[in-house]
Amino acid sequence: VSVPGELAELIRRCMARSPEARPESALEVRQALEQFLEHQGSRELVEQSEARAAEFSRLVGDTAPDAVQVGRLFSECRFGLQQALRVWADNPDARRALARITMEMIRFELAHGSVRAAQTLLADLDAPPSPET
């Protein structure tokens, strides 16, 4: 059973040995749980987008990918992840996935001679990519 990171962190805090590390009150725990529930829609959008991203990555890795289909899948994934970030702007999974698929699409565009498209996508990234992206 997988537990979302946000909920796991709250559980760790509640179970901390040190009283200073625990939430100060039941109200604080309740507010954290409410926030977790508010973020559920964003997590679901990321999960759905990740499923499409896996298909996108597989297609990009093909020896002769259909550029139209690659573009369609990329657009679907990007839209879903952007929606997830609209629901929860600090969703780390959505940010990582969006950066990852954008870098994959940049590599695809460069490999197919579309330097202008790659430049446009690179400008859309919030920060310069790290070497492991």
Side-chain angles (χ1 to χ4, degrees), residues 4 6 35-45 47 87-88:
E6 188 179 14
Q35 187 175 41
F36 167 77
L37 291 173
E38 287 173 10
H39 295 163
Q40 185 62 32
S42 180
R43 283 189 297 277
E44 288 172 359
L45 284 166
E47 186 177 315
V87 172
W88 176 20

Side-chain angles (χ1 to χ4, degrees), residues 25 67 71 89 100-101 104 131:
S25 66
R100 187 184 73 247
I101 66 161
E104 279 187 74

Side-chain angles (χ1 to χ4, degrees), residues 24-103:
E24 291 184 20
S25 66
L27 177 61
E28 185 178 340
V29 173
R30 177 183 173 188
Q31 290 169 335
L33 286 171
E34 287 172 349
Q35 187 175 41
F36 167 77
L37 291 173
E38 287 173 10
H39 295 163
Q40 185 62 32
S42 180
R43 283 189 297 277
E44 288 172 359
L45 284 166
V46 170
E47 186 177 315
Q48 292 166 5
S49 296
E50 286 281 19
R52 300 299 284 166
E55 187 178 346
F56 165 76
S57 296
R58 182 198 52 75
L59 186 61
V60 167
D62 284 352
T63 54
D66 177 352
V68 172
Q69 191 174 6
V70 167
R72 182 182 55 78
L73 283 170
F74 173 72
S75 294
E76 289 175 14
C77 294
R78 182 167 72 168
F79 179 78
L81 294 167
Q82 288 171 336
Q83 290 302 110
L85 289 168
R86 281 190 183 94
V87 172
W88 176 20
D90 295 328
N91 185 329
D93 295 331
R95 289 195 180 283
R96 275 191 298 272
L98 184 56
R100 187 184 73 247
I101 66 161
T102 302
M103 286 304 302

Side-chain angles (χ1 to χ4, degrees), residues 20 24-25 32 41 67 93 97 107-108 110 124:
E20 297 82 30
E24 291 184 20
S25 66
D93 295 331
R107 287 185 199 101
F108 177 83
L110 289 173
D124 286 346

